[in-house]
Structures are given as structure tokens and as C-alpha cells.
Amino acid sequence: MNTGATRNVALIFGYVPNQTAAITAAAFYFCFGTALTLHIVRLKNWWAVALPIGALGSGLGFITRYILAEPAYQTSKTTMIIEEVLTLCFPAGFLAFNYIVYGRLVLYCLGARHSLIRPQWVSTFFIMSDVSTFVIQGIGAAFVVQPEHHDLGGKIVEVGVILQTISFGIFSAMLLLTYVSVKRERLTNGTETWWRAYQAVVFSSTFIVIRSIYRMISSIDGSSSVIATTEIYLYLLDVLPLMIAIGVYIPFWPGSYTTGEDSILHISIPEQHKLSSFDAGSRELLASNEA
């Protein structure tokens, strides 16, 4: 198993992973993934499978991290690659889930006028971005654990993390603009069922942003920085925020709130509020009437 000290995990990561922390994180991810899967099966919400896949994949990543701390595996290139890909990339499933929930909210509850992008395109656009950055980070992770390609791998991961952060930043801005648009119409009193799904997505996205900022800073600073080589930061600024981000969906499952109940989708829009909406069709109609 020994392939040379140059690939020792302590030299690549800056520390030997703490096994207690790794197995605890794995246990939480598996528990959350199981609970979220039960929601999907109970309500037949197959559109939501990205969330438990991300959780279970992350759990496997921390199992691999536990194994990586064993002396016999601390120089295993394959184990390091698997650990890096699983823990770095599989949380992309959490982002994908938030994109899907937002798209369903607009499509079934709010109406296209409240989104900058057509609701049918929202999930596709952002998930394609997510997959692209997933692949970039995966390639980078495979290079990072190779001493001869370590710096190149770090740069590739950095590019993937930055692009993912920008993409999620755009999505977060869309969430805010949707809120502004809905409030401007004054067609809701804030007690509608779908508000719970919106609030859950915003809450979840806030913690994903925290994790994204941590990953971006640690990748830009490099593998020799304090934030990258101190394991506690990984758990406080990556694992914990992500667990909170997906944990909110256990008591507040979006599939229960995006059924179209209390929808404002087909409510007539007051003339004075049409220009404040994001529905391109409405804007074009107003323009033609004014002409």
C-alpha cells in the first residue's frame, strides 16, 4: 500500500484527518440522507433525489476520510482522490436541489412574472452550471493529491469553486428579486403555504453561501494557508453550514408546500404593478399598448 512518503496525507492536507470528527460527520450525513429519502418516497417527489444523493455521497466521503487516517492508507493516492471528490463535489447536489425548488415555486405557485429566467429554464440553467463546476472541481481534486501536479490541481479546484460561487450568487440574487417582485404586487398576505418553501430555500441558501465563501477563500489562499491546513475550519465552515442547509428540509419539506395551494399564479395583476414584475410577456404587451 505504501507508494511513497511524497503522497502522505499529512503532507498533502497539512494534517492527518481526525477519525472521530470524520465518522461523526458521516453519521449525520447518512441520517439526514435517510430522512430526506423518506420524504421523497412518502410523497413520490422523485424530482428531489439530488438532495439525498448529495447527502449520502458526502457521508461516503467522510467514511473515506476516516479510512484515510489509518496508517495503512495514509499514502494511498486512490483513497485521497475518492475522499476529495466525494467531500468537495457531492454537495453540488444541495445546490441543485435549491435550484429545483425555486423553479417549482415559480412554476406552480408564483408565476413566470416573478423570475428573471423562465421557470422551465431555471433548473436546467443552474444545474448545467452546477454539473460543469462539479466536473472542474473533480478533475482538480484528482490532481491535488498528486505531488507532481498539486499546484495545477489547486488552480483547477480554485476555478471550479469560484465559478460555482458566482453561479450560486446569481441564484441568490434571483431569490431576493423574486421576493421584491411578489411583495410589490401586494397579492399575498405572507401566510400562504408556499411561503414556507420560499423561506426554507432562503435559509438553506444562506448557509450554502457561507460554505461557498469558505471554499473560495481556502482555494485562493492555497493549500499552505492556515484556513486550508487547519481541519477545524473544514467542520465549522463547510460541514456544519451544509448540514444546517439540508437539515432545514427535514421538518420543512418543500414538496409539501409547492403543490399549488394558495397559488398566485393565475391572479389578475393590478395594472400599476405590471412594470415591477419580471414577466417578459407582460412587459412586451404593455409596450405594444403604449405604442
Side-chain angles (χ1 to χ4, degrees):
M1 184 59 67
N2 190 350
T3 58
T6 54
R7 288 188 182 136
N8 189 288
V9 66
L11 296 177
I12 299 295
F13 289 3
Y15 56 82
V16 175
N18 183 293
Q19 289 186 306
T20 301
I23 203 67
T24 300
F28 271 100
Y29 272 127
F30 286 139
C31 288
F32 284 13
T34 301
L36 295 166
T37 300
L38 291 175
H39 278 309
I40 292 173
V41 173
R42 178 174 59 88
L43 296 175
K44 294 182 173 58
N45 291 160
W46 311 119
W47 51 267
V49 294
L51 188 58
I53 287 175
L56 296 173
S58 297
L60 287 174
F62 281 92
I63 290 292
T64 310
R65 192 175 182 85
Y66 176 92
I67 295 171
L68 194 57
E70 291 290 322
Y73 289 89
Q74 288 181 18
T75 55
S76 170
K77 173 182 170 182
T78 300
T79 305
M80 279 189 269
I81 290 175
I82 294 172
E83 185 275 341
E84 283 293 279
V85 169
L86 289 174
T87 57
L88 179 63
C89 300
F90 265 76
F94 308 156
L95 282 66
F97 179 77
N98 281 12
Y99 300 150
I100 293 169
V101 173
Y102 173 78
R104 291 178 65 84
L105 265 170
V106 174
L107 188 61
Y108 297 116
C109 303
L110 306 180
R113 63 188 183 275
H114 296 301
S115 176
L116 285 170
I117 302 175
R118 291 182 183 275
Q120 296 89 341
W121 297 351
V122 169
S123 297
T124 302
F125 176 81
F126 284 105
I127 289 176
M128 286 180 64
S129 170
D130 219 24
V131 170
S132 299
T133 57
F134 178 102
V135 172
I136 293 171
Q137 291 177 71
I139 293 172
F143 280 112
V144 160
V145 301
Q146 303 179 54
E148 64 272 24
H149 301 300
H150 183 76
D151 291 340
L152 173 61
K155 291 296 183 183
I156 295 173
V157 169
E158 181 182 332
V159 170
V161 169
I162 290 174
L163 290 176
Q164 187 179 67
T165 302
I166 292 172
S167 175
F168 199 77
I170 294 171
F171 170 73
S172 299
M174 285 182 57
L175 273 177
L176 176 61
L177 290 172
T178 293
Y179 175 83
V180 172
S181 178
V182 169
K183 282 297 185 180
R184 276 184 171 178
E185 274 192 1
R186 299 178 184 176
L187 297 178
T188 170
N189 57 23
T191 62
E192 290 80 6
T193 302
W194 47 263
W195 271 115
R196 296 178 186 175
Y198 177 84
Q199 290 162 352
V201 171
V202 170
F203 182 84
S204 173
S205 297
T206 300
F207 286 92
I208 290 176
V209 167
I210 292 172
R211 185 261 186 176
S212 298
I213 292 173
Y214 158 72
R215 280 292 184 180
M216 185 168 66
I217 291 174
S218 62
S219 64
I220 291 174
D221 284 351
S223 58
S224 60
S225 66
V226 173
I227 195 170
T229 58
T230 306
E231 190 176 20
I232 188 63
Y233 290 125
L234 172 71
Y235 289 98
L236 291 179
L237 298 175
D238 185 298
V239 178
L240 182 60
L242 288 180
M243 286 186 178
I244 295 173
I246 65 174
V248 67
Y249 292 128
I250 296 175
F252 301 104
W253 180 247
S256 299
Y257 308 126
T258 55
T259 59
E261 183 179 347
D262 298 332
S263 170
I264 61 172
L265 189 65
H266 302 298
I267 297 179
S268 299
I269 309 171
E271 189 69 26
Q272 66 269 30
H273 295 302
K274 284 185 179 180
L275 284 175
S276 69
S277 74
F278 302 125
D279 181 22
S282 296
R283 289 199 296 268
E284 291 171 1
L285 179 61
L286 285 174
S288 64
N289 288 341
E290 290 174 355

